[in-house]
């Protein structure tokens, strides 16, 4: 049958051979490679120059972005990196890899008191303060703590940091959560003593901050969660714990008199996953459904196991770890503990690089080990998760 | 003309009837089992396959051809071999009603072609079939990839590209080079420097 009988078949495409993957057209090869998550790129960039250039190309990140293939990320900043090097864990590849350096600040400072959230497939690091370091690498006591309004944004497709619009009010140790695709921020400290009552909201698509009604009183050292579409803020006012809830639908703050059990929650021991709140308390891992407004409804799960050190008889329980939910799993990263050296009779601080995870919905919670962090350990300063 | 057979493997006897070749676009369409329209695909090595119209529409290339009125005679697909086309046709049949192409279908639906079309998520059985489908050696996988690309079939492309990506995921640098037949064009110093830079990847 002559080909002319079937115009749909014309022109018959010859398979153009490309050199990205011999035997496949380049555009098809690129689609295949774009499905590979970032944790694998380190190895694959070493394959050939062509591959290295491809993984670093705009075309590649554009294709990933177009298809929304950002992959899953666990972002972590540990204390021991004064140069602001964030690390990321790729659960598919089971690899930790360093992010490019955060660009803005001079290397002699460390970043503390910030908040970090993910939304619209981006990581945002907001506010906080920079501590100048002395030549010996410890915080300089003669330099004042100055709050910053900086907001930095990490794009997982381009693997680049950029500065986005700063907050209207510089602040540190503030409440921050994502609700309905916007970042809500409230309270915290600036240079004043009593702290801030001011609140604001960030629209990432428009790159715009907008003031919200202030909280009834200023709050410092805030803890916050996004839950049930509302912004829950717990903080200190004149040394008293206060609890406010902001409802974006009517833009109003409500004071909650009963702190219930929430006062026991803290930033690095609380994770929200699948509509439930998980907290690591003194007595172990607890799970809470906020809708059951009864303190007795905390259910107890199997606590993360202590860490065994080679050559040390006592198992250690880390503190100052990162605790966060990703893809239905709870991750526990890093941390440190005090170890007693019975030979020299001294206490030492042990820094951990371990990554542990569990599925909290199973009948029995089983903690498993994933790959430890790469060249980084100890106190987790900030962590956030991003899901594809 | 109608036939009781609708399986893709049993297509030969149907289309080798001389009537099929000489059909004009005005003639009523071929009908398969259940009275549904079928079309005939012809591979480069002259093998013919009968395909339910609903299944063929998973390919944008075939769909364009059908909408241009070319669906009444056997459609030559000279750059696909019989064994490859057989696998593709089988995958299309398994994925009948897959929502991955549901939105595109809605336009066509206005013409009443797909009255009995109901989108449904692939079942575990279909997913198992997909896995089996791509558990093939490299050359066979490349054949399927090229077929998916030529046919512009999103579902087929998904399954095959994922398989190609999965293949390299836990390979060493050397294994990737060997699998894809890539030449290492780094100088030893360059490669050593890059491996040092990506030390985290070799843990």
């Amino acid at each position: 049958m002559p080909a002319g009988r079937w115009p749909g078949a014309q022109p018959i495409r010859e398979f153009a051979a490309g050199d990205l993957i011999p035997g496949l057209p380049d555009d098809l090869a690129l689609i295949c490679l774009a499905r590979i998550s970032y944790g694998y790129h380190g190895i694959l960039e070493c394959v050939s120059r062509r591959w290295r250039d491809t993984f670093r190309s705009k075309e590649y990140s554009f294709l990933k972005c177009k298809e929304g293939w950002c992959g899953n990320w666990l972002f972590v900043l540990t204390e021991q990196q004064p140069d602001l090097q964030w690390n990321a864990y790729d659960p598919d590849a089971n690899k930790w890899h360093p992010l490019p350096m955060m660009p803005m600040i001079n290397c002699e400072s460390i970043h503390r008191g910030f908040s970090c959230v993910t939304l619209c497939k981006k990581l945002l690091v907001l506010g906080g303060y920079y501590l100048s370091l002395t030549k010996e690498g410890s915080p300089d006591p003669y330099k004042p703590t100055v709050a910053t309004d900086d907001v930095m944004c990490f794009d997982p497709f381009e693997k680049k940091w950029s500065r986005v619009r700063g907050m209207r009010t510089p602040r540190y140790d503030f409440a921050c959560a994502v609700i309905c695709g916007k970042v809500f921020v409230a309270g915290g400290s600036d240079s004043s003593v009593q702290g801030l009552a001011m609140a604001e909201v960030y629209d990432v698509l428009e790159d715009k901050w907008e003031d919200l009604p202030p909280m009834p009183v200023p709050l410092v050292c805030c803890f916050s969660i996004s839950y049930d579409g509302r912004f829950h803020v717990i903080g200190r006012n004149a040394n008293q714990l206060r609890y406010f809830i902001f409802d974006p639908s009517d833009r109003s703050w409500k004071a909650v008199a009963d702190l219930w059990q929430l006062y026991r929650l803290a930033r690095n021991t609380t994770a929200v996953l699948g509509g439930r709140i998980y907290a690591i308390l003194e007595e172990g891992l607890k799970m809470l459904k906020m809708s059951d407004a009864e303190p007795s409804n905390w259910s107890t799960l199997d606590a993360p196991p202590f860490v065994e050190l080679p050559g040390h008889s006592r198992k250690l329980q880390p503190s100052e770890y990162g605790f966060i939910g990703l893809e239905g799993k709870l991750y526990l990263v890093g941390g440190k503990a005090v170890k007693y050296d019975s030979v020299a009779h001294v206490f030492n601080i042990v820094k951990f690089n371990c990554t542990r995870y569990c599925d909290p919905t199973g009948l029995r919670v089983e903690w498993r080990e994933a790959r430890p962090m790469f060249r980084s350990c100890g106190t987790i300063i900030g962590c956030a998760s991003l899901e594809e | 003309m109608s036939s009781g057979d609708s399986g893709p493997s049993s297509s030969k006897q149907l289309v080798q009837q001389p009537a099929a070749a000489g059909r004009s676009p005005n003639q009523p369409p071929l009908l398969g089992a259940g009275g549904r329209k079928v079309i005939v695909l012809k591979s480069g090595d002259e093998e013919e396959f009968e395909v339910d119209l609903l299944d063929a529409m998973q390919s944008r290339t075939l769909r364009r051809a059908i909408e241009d009125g070319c669906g009444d005679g056997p459609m030559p697909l000279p750059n696909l071999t019989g064994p490859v086309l057989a696998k593709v046709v089988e995958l299309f049949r398994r994925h009948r009603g897959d929502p991955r192409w549901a939105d595109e279908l809605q336009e066509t639906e206005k013409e009443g072609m797909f009255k009995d079309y109901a989108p449904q998520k692939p079942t575990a059985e279909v997913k198992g079939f997909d896995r089996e489908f791509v558990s093939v050696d490299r050359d066979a996988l490349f054949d399927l990839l090229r077929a998916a690309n030529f046919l512009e079939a999103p579902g087929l492309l998904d399954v095959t590209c994922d398989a190609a990506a999965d293949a390299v995921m836990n390979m060493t640098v050397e294994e990737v080079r060997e699998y894809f037949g890539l030449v290492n064009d780094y100088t030893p110093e360059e490669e050593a420097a890059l491996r040092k830079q990506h030390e985290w990847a070799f843990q």
Side-chain angles (χ1 to χ4, degrees), chain B residues 34-194:
Chain B
R36 220 169 15 216
K37 189 178 170 184
V38 295
I39 57 162
V40 175
L41 305 177
K42 191 163 129 196
S43 69
D45 45 3
E46 305 280 312
E47 237 185 290
E48 297 194 344
F49 298 89
E50 184 187 306
V51 184
D52 192 299
L53 180 69
L54 201 59
D55 300 346
M57 297 300 254
Q58 291 185 54
S59 151
R60 294 195 185 119
T61 305
L62 294 180
R63 190 180 137 180
R64 274 196 300 273
I66 293 162
E67 284 170 356
D68 287 349
C70 316
D72 296 329
M75 285 196 207
L77 301 170
N79 38 18
L80 300 183
T81 61
V84 172
L85 193 53
K87 284 206 87 171
V88 169
V89 163
E90 173 69 359
L91 186 87
F92 282 177
R93 192 177 65 77
R94 298 274 187 152
H95 278 271
R96 184 176 298 173
D98 194 324
R100 263 180 293 204
W101 49 291
D103 45 337
E104 278 195 33
L105 212 62
Q106 279 174 0
E107 282 171 52
T108 327
E109 214 172 358
K110 287 178 205 151
E111 297 152 27
M113 269 167 145
F114 298 106
K115 281 191 233 58
D116 55 350
Y117 170 76
Q120 50 200 318
K121 282 214 164 112
T123 58
E125 191 200 333
V126 171
K127 284 181 190 154
F129 172 79
D130 287 355
R131 263 194 303 279
E132 192 78 3
F133 181 80
V134 292
S135 309
V136 292
D137 64 24
R138 195 205 68 157
D139 291 341
L141 181 60
F142 277 23
D143 283 340
L144 292 172
L145 270 164
R146 286 187 293 247
N149 197 40
F150 168 73
L151 291 170
E152 294 178 43
L156 180 61
L157 206 55
D158 242 17
V159 172
T160 47
C161 286
D162 268 349
D166 282 347
V168 302
M169 274 181 186
N170 288 307
M171 284 186 183
T172 64
V173 175
E174 292 75 17
E175 284 166 347
V176 173
R177 283 179 194 144
E178 201 196 317
Y179 185 79
F180 285 129
L182 292 158
V183 180
N184 176 16
D185 52 358
Y186 285 121
T187 62
E189 295 78 28
E190 259 181 328
E191 189 178 339
L194 196 59

Side-chain angles (χ1 to χ4, degrees), chain A residues 1 5-7 13 20 22-23 35-36 39-40 42 45-49 51-52 95 97-98 371 375, chain B residues 23 65 70 74-76 79 142 146 158 161-162 168-169 177 180 182 185-186 190 194 198-201 203:
Chain A
M1 165 179 192
R5 292 284 315 257
W6 185 40
R13 274 171 65 184
L20 189 52
R35 290 170 182 250
I36 299 173
Y40 294 104
E45 279 194 7
C46 297
V47 165
S48 71
R49 288 183 187 169
W51 276 41
R52 176 198 62 195
K95 294 260 172 171
H97 54 115
R371 194 179 298 277
R375 280 202 190 145
Chain B
R23 298 175 72 84
C70 316
M75 285 196 207
N79 38 18
F142 277 23
R146 286 187 293 247
D158 242 17
C161 286
D162 268 349
V168 302
M169 274 181 186
R177 283 179 194 144
F180 285 129
L182 292 158
D185 52 358
Y186 285 121
E190 259 181 328
L194 196 59
H198 292 324
E199 216 179 329
W200 57 268
Q203 289 293 299

Side-chain angles (χ1 to χ4, degrees), chain A residues 125-302:
Chain A
V125 179
L126 309 98
Y129 57 89
Y130 302 116
L131 266 183
S132 301
L133 295 181
T134 59
K135 284 197 181 107
E136 291 77 43
S138 54
D140 189 341
Y142 301 107
K143 292 257 177 78
T145 302
V146 182
T148 176
D149 58 1
D150 280 348
V151 181
M152 303 302 295
C153 170
F154 179 75
D155 178 352
F157 299 110
E158 299 222 19
K159 293 194 257 186
K160 268 189 197 147
W161 289 97
S162 61
R163 186 192 294 269
V164 294
R165 196 168 305 274
M167 291 184 286
R168 289 171 171 243
T169 310
R171 51 179 105 214
Y172 61 88
D173 291 337
F174 52 97
C176 178
V178 175
I179 300 142
C180 304
K182 289 184 177 176
V183 186
F184 287 75
V185 159
S189 306
D190 57 356
S191 347
S192 66
V193 182
Q194 78 274 24
L196 298 163
M198 280 179 280
E200 49 190 314
V201 61
Y202 178 61
D203 186 325
V204 67
L205 300 176
E206 291 190 31
D207 191 19
K208 207 171 91 184
W209 285 94
E210 189 192 325
D211 280 331
L212 292 174
M215 293 187 289
V217 296
L219 292 183
V220 297
C221 301
C222 296
F223 165 75
S224 55
I225 45 173
S226 157
Y227 196 87
D228 263 354
R230 295 185 299 169
F231 183 28
H232 299 251
V233 180
I234 295 164
R236 288 188 177 275
N237 173 263
N239 251 340
Q240 248 196 330
L241 270 181
R242 300 290 301 273
Y243 177 14
F244 297 114
I245 299 177
F246 182 76
D247 192 335
S249 62
D250 62 0
R251 293 170 67 91
S252 68
W253 288 96
K254 281 186 193 69
V256 183
D258 183 8
L259 267 170
W260 187 39
Q261 291 246 337
L262 293 182
Y263 74 95
R264 304 179 68 199
L265 303 182
R267 194 184 287 219
N268 70 336
T269 56
T270 308
V272 180
L273 182 67
R276 293 197 168 143
I277 300 170
Y278 296 90
I280 300 176
L281 303 175
E282 269 172 34
E283 63 269 28
L285 176 64
K286 297 288 186 179
M287 184 185 73
L288 176 70
K289 259 165 78 183
M290 201 104 116
S291 47
D292 316 331
E294 283 295 322
S296 58
N297 283 345
W298 285 93
S299 34
T300 305
L301 307 174
D302 290 311

Side-chain angles (χ1 to χ4, degrees), chain A residues 8 17 21 29 34-35 62 73 91-92 101 103-104 127 163 184 245 254 276 289 301 316 319 331 366 380:
Chain A
I21 295 178
R35 290 170 182 250
F62 179 77
W73 299 71
D92 301 314
M101 220 69 91
M104 69 302 195
R163 186 192 294 269
F184 287 75
I245 299 177
K254 281 186 193 69
R276 293 197 168 143
K289 259 165 78 183
L301 307 174
L316 301 172
S319 61
Y331 282 83
E366 208 174 306
I380 304 297

